[in-house]
Amino acid sequence: LPGMLYAKARSAFQEPVPPEQNLTRIEAYSFAPGSRLEDRITIMPPALLAHFRSWDKAPEYESYIPTPEDKALAMRYFSLLPGVYREVFEAHCLGIFFVKNLKGNGITTWATDANRKLYFHITLNPAALTDSLSTTLSTSENSCFIPQQNAAVTVDAGKKYKGLLYGLFHEATHAVDYIKGITPWADNTMPISLRPEKNPADSLFSIYWKDFFLPRASEDFRLRDKITFYGLNGGPKLSFGDAPQLYAGLGDSGFPSLYGSMSWAEDFAELVTLHIITKELGQPYKITLSGNEAPLVLEPMWSKKVSTRADMVRLELDAISGDIRSGDTDMKEADEDLVKAEALVKEAESMLGKPA
């Protein structure tokens, strides 16, 4: 989740205040350039915790102090991400924090230095340190719907990984989007002057999206605009009776998940995260809706549309990793990745026809 939920609160910080009290400035964080990433996994600054409590109306939010074991798990999972993530995090990550009772799995938020260089910090839910990946994803999916007896959604994502894998991958992908500009822009609260230069990769998303929250007509589906998660934005607004129609629409679209259908930023984060989980780590991503009728089973990552799009964005990440590779061979590989991504864009365009 990018930091757009905090737009109203952030606007208050536009008033003149000392940098160390302005949460959009890096002086508000204990940031040591060049420090190890594991040392940036730390306790949340009190001012940021107070801000999150106020904005979410959640006095129950508490800082969680990560243990050495927690940090080791996070770094092990981080090592599974493409190389460009380390480049981005080493240069731009202010901190990775954990908050007990957080509504959702995580949030990524931006800040700048005095020269308007862009940075970010990530907040994660410590429940994901102990919950399985399947439990984390099932809990998230069920939060879309008004609770009903004998009705539920379960997500099978295997037994090998903890929910932290999802939260970290998803939020880290938002962070890469902030810095590298994969989508047209990653966060509606970010001033235009801070957005990265236009990246050719954003065409991967303009094919499917008309605006930040609005898919093109060919990809939209009924009830999509009613999707909420974690009780935010007045939700849940959907009953389990709506679920068969909702998932049928998702299955016909090019989106990897309900969460990914909410904006192009979430679309990108879900495509990358679920692609790595399924295609690279070999885990399932199977959604099962159970209730009064026969169970409905959906595996979005194996649809032609979604699989093609996920391949496109994964190749783009490999291509921009060429910025940190060395040697002619590595640069040739990066160029080849870009050619493959461009070919897949053309394939997607032919599948969709002319954008609406």
Side-chain angles (χ1 to χ4, degrees), residues 64 113 116 123 141 161 177 183 214 237 258 268 278 300 306 315-317:
Y64 173 85
D113 64 12
R116 296 180 69 78
T123 300
E141 206 76 6
Y161 297 100
D177 198 12
T183 65
L214 182 64
K237 301 175 182 178
L258 294 180
F268 173 50
T278 56
V306 176
L315 285 169
E316 174 60 24
L317 288 172

Side-chain angles (χ1 to χ4, degrees), residues 43-44 83 335:
I43 189 168
M44 174 176 278
D335 291 341

Side-chain angles (χ1 to χ4, degrees), residues 22-71:
N22 183 339
L23 295 177
T24 65
R25 289 286 297 273
I26 67 169
E27 290 86 350
Y29 307 88
S30 299
F31 175 54
S35 60
R36 301 185 310 163
L37 288 184
E38 49 264 53
D39 292 335
R40 303 185 211 179
I41 304 173
T42 186
I43 189 168
M44 174 176 278
L48 184 60
L49 178 62
H51 169 51
F52 279 14
R53 282 173 172 169
S54 174
W55 182 247
D56 272 355
K57 298 180 175 60
E60 68 274 16
Y61 283 3
E62 296 180 29
S63 286
Y64 173 85
I65 303 174
T67 66
E69 293 76 17
D70 297 334
K71 293 184 179 185

Side-chain angles (χ1 to χ4, degrees), residues 41 64 66-81 96-99 105-106 122-137 160-173 273 277 281:
I41 304 173
Y64 173 85
T67 66
E69 293 76 17
D70 297 334
K71 293 184 179 185
L73 181 65
M75 293 307 300
R76 180 160 65 87
Y77 286 173
F78 187 83
S79 71
L80 302 173
L81 289 165
I96 300 174
F97 314 121
F98 289 88
V99 170
N105 291 306
I122 287 175
T123 300
L124 298 169
N125 191 329
L129 292 164
T130 53
D131 287 345
S132 70
L133 179 57
S134 294
T135 295
T136 294
L137 291 173
K160 185 174 181 179
Y161 297 100
K162 298 296 185 184
L164 178 67
L165 186 84
Y166 171 78
L168 180 62
F169 281 16
H170 182 104
E171 299 306 325
T173 303
T273 297
I277 288 172
L281 300 181

